[in-house]
Amino acid sequence: MKMKKLLAWLMILVFCFTLVSCRKVTSDNSSADRSDKTSSITKTETEGSTPLLYRVTDNNGRVIWLFGSIHIGRENYYPLPDYVLEAFDNADSLAVELDINAFEKDKKLQTQALSQLVYTDGSRIDDHISEELYNKAVSVMEELDIYMSVFDRYCPAFWSSMIESVQYEKMGLNINLGIDRHLLDRAYENQKEILEVESAELQYQMMAGFSDDLQALLLEETVDMYENPETAKSELDELMDIWAAGDEKEFSEYLANEDQDMTTAEKQLYEEYIKAMFVDRNLSMTDYAEASLKSGKEVFICVGAAHIVGEGAVAELLKQRGYKVECITR
């Protein structure tokens, strides 16, 4: 699977960041008329970023929006371009993978979600991964000053996410500048309805459901990312630049690129990873988008960008179901 696929988590899973960001509680934040709100929206040049936005229309003229998030960000992403903000401000509701702001303030929900990652059969992480990998991971967490012995009761997915989140912060990447967080803050400020496409518990259950071998591979790659920070930073920069540029073809090709040096065993684990992280969730998100259209509300759906763009993603699946899907272009 290698590092590039691991870094794609930035575009597909809020989970990786809520483990750390739950200790960063944001402040509480306290509709326009709907007269032909979408007809004038076009994509224009902006100094910061020009991310991809899709307008989905059904046969009755009802509209929803698909916008791909990246869960960390840079200051120069903002302000978002007018074509994004106009669509967002005109929409009735914002739908995100999960409401991070609400999650960070709900200690009970955090406990329930994290409980999905705890071994309940009396085993420990070192019963599920090799001694070598366990020792390496402990060393990394100690160097990052985040290791506690109680973590031995948690599965490797928890360890991977803790290491990644802190490492991203050390690279100067800011989880508080993530696109979904930015739009959530704007929605709270404007008292816009906030909906959840998934939930924290669902995401945690999915990760805990990965096989031991896949979780071990992901942890191994996380440790490799820590041990090779320059390579990781270079590939992160590439990924973030592609998102900001909004080139649909380049983005699709990046996501479709498969490492050629995987072993047979790694390829099998990769298939497990793709099915859980992409295939199953993309279908569920497409169902959600279709239901949103049928509801009559104009919903601005903002989920990880890798769920929106490319083969088998939500935009393509909605096209296959007969909806008109337009990529807003320069």
Side-chain angles (χ1 to χ4, degrees), residues 97-235:
E97 287 176 50
L98 62 95
D99 185 342
I100 307 169
N101 290 356
F103 179 73
E104 290 173 356
K105 297 170 186 174
D106 191 332
K107 300 300 182 185
K108 181 179 180 181
L109 182 58
Q110 290 173 28
T111 300
Q112 290 174 342
L114 281 170
S115 70
Q116 305 295 323
L117 306 181
V118 177
Y119 291 116
T120 58
D121 59 359
S123 64
R124 296 156 41 99
I125 186 173
D126 51 351
D127 296 316
H128 297 264
I129 62 176
S130 69
E131 181 180 3
E132 179 184 9
L133 178 56
Y134 172 75
N135 290 334
K136 280 185 178 181
V138 169
S139 295
V140 169
M141 293 184 80
E142 287 177 340
E143 289 179 24
L144 292 172
D145 197 26
I146 57 174
Y147 176 73
M148 293 188 288
S149 59
V150 69
F151 289 171
D152 287 1
R153 296 175 52 231
Y154 286 79
C155 68
F158 173 88
W159 286 53
S160 295
S161 294
M162 289 295 291
I163 294 170
E164 288 167 38
S165 298
V166 176
Q167 182 67 358
Y168 291 144
E169 289 181 338
K170 286 184 175 293
M171 290 179 181
L173 303 173
N174 194 336
I175 60 176
N176 293 317
L177 291 175
I179 298 301
D180 39 0
R181 184 182 294 276
H182 174 79
L183 292 179
L184 275 167
D185 288 344
R186 191 178 181 96
Y188 273 105
E189 182 179 352
N190 294 302
Q191 298 183 328
K192 187 184 294 292
E193 181 182 31
I194 295 170
L195 307 171
E196 289 189 321
V197 177
E198 297 182 325
S199 67
E201 189 170 12
L202 182 149
Q203 290 195 354
Y204 283 60
Q205 284 176 342
M206 180 192 64
M207 294 294 293
F210 281 168
S211 66
D212 280 357
D213 287 343
L214 178 54
Q215 290 200 45
L217 177 61
L218 293 172
L219 180 56
E220 183 179 340
E221 293 186 2
T222 303
V223 170
D224 182 61
M225 182 179 73
Y226 174 81
E227 293 176 342
N228 297 277
E230 292 184 1
T231 300
K233 183 64 165 62
S234 174
E235 294 190 355

Side-chain angles (χ1 to χ4, degrees), residues 42-76:
T42 56
K43 185 172 176 183
T44 57
E45 294 293 341
T46 182
E47 183 177 352
S49 58
T50 56
L52 293 166
L53 175 69
Y54 294 86
R55 175 171 43 209
V56 183
T57 311
D58 69 8
N59 291 332
N60 296 312
R62 293 175 293 200
V63 170
I64 62 169
W65 300 90
L66 303 176
F67 186 57
S69 175
I70 185 167
H71 301 310
I72 60 176
R74 298 167 171 159
E75 289 186 3
N76 67 356

